[in-house]
């Protein structure tokens, strides 16, 4: 009997699956209590695949925050590139976008607000 065929194209999915699983886990589990084993199970990825892309659970959270930082910067763009909007309209739109992004990522923001002192990379992102 032939061995099971190798699954191709899974590598890019592993990265996204780990990020998504970690974000979901943070809704119910504090970062300090979260383990790599929990992330692996939730993401349905192997330990080797995880460590090919991330050095630790903290590294996963850093990458999540980097993507959130990029998204927040984009969401604030209307404040600085008003187009035909008045200053008040531009500010309101940018602020509304920021609140929407923050609500989508609330568990991550809470986790990072609690743990940034212990993770130098998070401290840099938090204060950037």
């Amino acid at each position: 009997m032939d061995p099971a065929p190798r699954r191709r194209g899974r590598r890019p999915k592993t990265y996204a699956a780990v990020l998504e699983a970690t974000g979901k886990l943070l809704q119910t589990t504090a970062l300090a209590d979260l383990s790599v084993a929990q992330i692996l199970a939730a993401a349905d990825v192997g330990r080797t695949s995880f460590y090919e892309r991330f050095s630790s659970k903290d590294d996963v959270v850093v990458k999540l925050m980097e993507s959130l930082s990029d998204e927040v910067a984009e969401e604030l763009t209307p404040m600085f590139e008003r187009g035909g909007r008045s200053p008040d309209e531009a500010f309101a739109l940018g602020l509304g976008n920021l609140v929407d992004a923050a609500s989508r990522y609330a568990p991550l923001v809470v986790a990072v607000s609690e743990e940034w002192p212990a993770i130098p990379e998070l401290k840099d992102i938090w204060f950037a």
Side-chain angles (χ1 to χ4, degrees):
M1 176 176 243
D2 290 335
R6 291 188 61 189
R7 295 175 73 181
R8 295 191 176 264
R10 185 156 167 86
R11 287 183 183 262
K13 294 177 185 175
T14 298
Y15 186 87
V18 168
L19 294 179
E20 183 178 342
T22 303
K24 286 181 181 176
L25 287 166
L26 287 172
Q27 293 176 4
T28 58
T29 307
L31 180 57
D33 299 331
L34 187 62
S35 70
V36 169
Q38 289 171 297
I39 295 170
L40 297 177
D44 191 28
V45 300
R47 189 168 293 278
T48 301
S49 294
F50 176 89
Y51 283 110
E52 285 176 348
R53 291 156 189 81
F54 305 98
S55 61
S56 64
K57 71 174 183 181
D58 294 344
D59 187 35
V60 176
V61 174
V62 166
K63 290 187 173 41
L64 279 169
M65 274 306 291
E66 288 171 346
S67 67
L68 174 58
S69 293
D70 292 343
E71 186 174 333
V72 166
E74 189 174 311
E75 297 290 351
L76 291 175
T77 299
M79 290 181 168
F80 307 104
E81 297 175 9
R82 294 186 330 199
R85 293 182 284 270
S86 72
D88 288 345
E89 291 170 330
F91 184 81
L93 179 58
L95 186 59
N97 290 346
L98 177 61
V99 169
D100 289 344
S103 67
R104 284 193 307 272
Y105 296 102
L108 174 62
V109 172
V110 169
V112 171
S113 72
E114 295 171 344
E115 297 296 326
W116 68 259
I119 305 168
E121 296 88 352
L122 282 181
K123 183 178 180 180
D124 293 343
I125 295 168
W126 191 252
F127 287 104

